[in-house]
Amino acid sequence: MGRNIAENRKARYNYFIHEEFEAGLILLGTEVKSLRAGRANIQDAYASFENDGLYLINAHIAEYGHGNRNNHEPLRPRQLLMHKKEIKKIAGQIQKAGKTLVPLSMYFNDRGIVKVKVGLASGKKQHDKRATERERDWNREKRRLLKDNA
């Protein structure tokens, strides 16, 4: 994985991630320039299956400051590029199993192409979220104890 642009840190807190996929993204020129400046937010984004394709909805890519009147719309739906077999598999899980597709991170790969890591997920109940917090806190405390003893 190359340079990270945006990360959805709450995704693993709010969802059980069952499977992860890597997808390309159809972007406009000003969007790429804005992403190179690191101006994106995928915290409230999700992916949706529409018109035989997957689309990233509600991902905010800020307008490029030096863009002209052809500047992009910050919250426009962006098509995800994946193999048809993967799309069919994901669509089946979304429609039949009641799962959702959440973006986990957005990054430039080694060749300079924007990629999105998406996870097939199901929502956590409140008690599951508390268990995640306890585990996170225990791991943090364990690291502190090991660091102090070293």
Side-chain angles (χ1 to χ4, degrees), residues 60-112:
H60 186 274
I61 299 175
E63 285 187 0
Y64 183 61
H66 300 291
N68 57 17
R69 66 177 181 265
N70 295 327
N71 215 335
H72 65 276
E73 179 69 33
L75 291 174
R76 77 173 185 87
R78 294 165 181 93
Q79 187 172 5
L80 295 173
L81 301 172
M82 299 175 82
H83 291 285
K84 284 184 181 183
K85 203 158 104 175
E86 286 180 322
I87 292 173
K88 284 182 182 180
K89 176 182 178 180
I90 292 169
Q93 290 289 318
I94 290 172
Q95 292 166 348
K96 292 179 186 138
K99 294 183 178 156
T100 187
L101 195 62
V102 294
L104 302 173
S105 64
M106 184 182 288
Y107 58 92
F108 285 104
N109 70 2
D110 297 333
R111 293 176 35 207

Side-chain angles (χ1 to χ4, degrees), residues 2 13 18 21 24 29 35 43 50 73 111 124 146-147:
Y13 175 76
H18 303 291
F21 300 93
L35 290 175
Q43 205 71 18
E50 299 169 11
E73 179 69 33
R111 293 176 35 207
K124 287 185 179 180
L146 291 174
K147 184 177 163 186

Side-chain angles (χ1 to χ4, degrees), residues 1 30 114 122-123 126 144:
M1 192 161 83
T30 54
V114 177
S122 57
Q126 190 62 38
R144 286 181 187 156

